[in-house]
Amino acid sequence: MSNLRTLVFFATPAHDCSYLPDREATTMFVDPRAHVDKRLYSQLTALGFRRSGSHYYRPHCENCNACVAVRLKVDQFQPDRSQRRVIKKNADLDCKMVRASFSERYYRLYAHYIEQRHADGDMYPPSREQFMSFLVEGATDSWFVEIMDGEKLVGLAAVDRLDEGLSAIYTVFDPAYEHRSLGTFAVLWQIEEAKRLGLPHLYLGYWIEECRKMNYKTRFRPIEALQDGQWRTMEVN
C-alpha cells in the first residue's frame, strides 16, 4: 500500500503552457504504478494535487507559480446576488449523484460540449477513449452529478468524494442551456452536497489570476488558496 513517504514522483519535460501564452509548464506526476486509495488521494489533494483519470498531478514550473490550488469553506459560504439568481433560474432542474461510469448519453453530451465550447483546446477532438481516461478510469469514490431537465440530460459534473471534502473535477453541459449558467449551478449544487455530507471543503482545482476563464472560482467565498504549504483565506477584490 502506497503512502506519502513511499510515493515516487516524475516531472514532465517543459512544454507550452495551456493557460498562459509564451510560457512553459512542467507537471509533477505521482508514479502511475502506485496504489492511491481514498485516504492517500485526500492527502494529495490537500497538498495541491489533482486527479485526471488514473493520474495525480500538480504544476511544478521552475520560474512560475501562477497556478494556485483553491478550495471553498462550504459552511461559511453565502451565495451572492448573481448566484442566487442562478439557483432560482435552475430550480426546475433535477440533480442526483450516480457512480462515475461510461454511458453513451454521457459521452454524447461531453462530445457536444467539447466540440462547441473547446474546439480550440487540448481536448479537441473528443473521443470515447478520452472520456474514459479522463473521467472514469482511476475512480476511487467518484461520482457524476446528473443535471436533468425533465427526461433530458443537460449537464454532467464529475466529482470525487474525499475524506475532508468534495473535489470538483469537470463539468459539461448542453451549450443550448448556456443562458442558465450551469457551470456555476453545478458548483452551487456541490457546495450544498458537501454540507449535506458533513464535509468542510469543496476543492475547485487551480486558479490563475491572469486567466479570465478561471475568474468564476473567486466568486465563491470565502475561498482559500494553498500558499507556501498552508491554506490561507484569499483577499479577493
Side-chain angles (χ1 to χ4, degrees), residues 3-92:
N3 58 57
L4 286 177
R5 292 185 178 181
T6 63
L7 282 181
V8 175
F9 300 91
F10 297 99
T12 66
H15 53 275
D16 289 342
C17 179
S18 300
Y19 300 104
L20 299 176
D22 304 320
R23 296 203 197 182
E24 289 191 330
T26 302
T27 305
M28 177 189 292
F29 282 93
V30 173
D31 185 343
R33 295 168 296 182
H35 175 68
V36 179
D37 61 9
K38 181 177 176 180
R39 180 172 180 270
L40 182 54
Y41 177 24
S42 299
Q43 293 172 330
L44 286 167
T45 302
L47 292 172
F49 281 79
R50 296 287 288 169
R51 181 179 75 86
S52 176
S54 57
H55 299 288
Y56 300 84
Y57 69 94
R58 74 177 183 188
H60 190 64
C61 305
E62 183 175 354
N63 298 310
C64 179
N65 57 2
C67 293
V68 180
V70 292
R71 71 185 187 186
L72 183 71
K73 300 173 75 172
V74 298
D75 282 345
Q76 298 181 28
F77 172 75
Q78 294 293 330
D80 61 22
R81 181 182 301 176
S82 175
Q83 290 161 346
R84 289 195 297 271
R85 285 199 298 267
V86 172
I87 294 171
K88 184 177 180 180
K89 186 184 301 183
N90 293 292
D92 60 324

Side-chain angles (χ1 to χ4, degrees), residues 166-178:
L166 296 178
S167 179
I169 303 298
Y170 199 66
T171 299
V172 300
F173 55 85
D174 186 336
Y177 282 68
E178 183 174 6

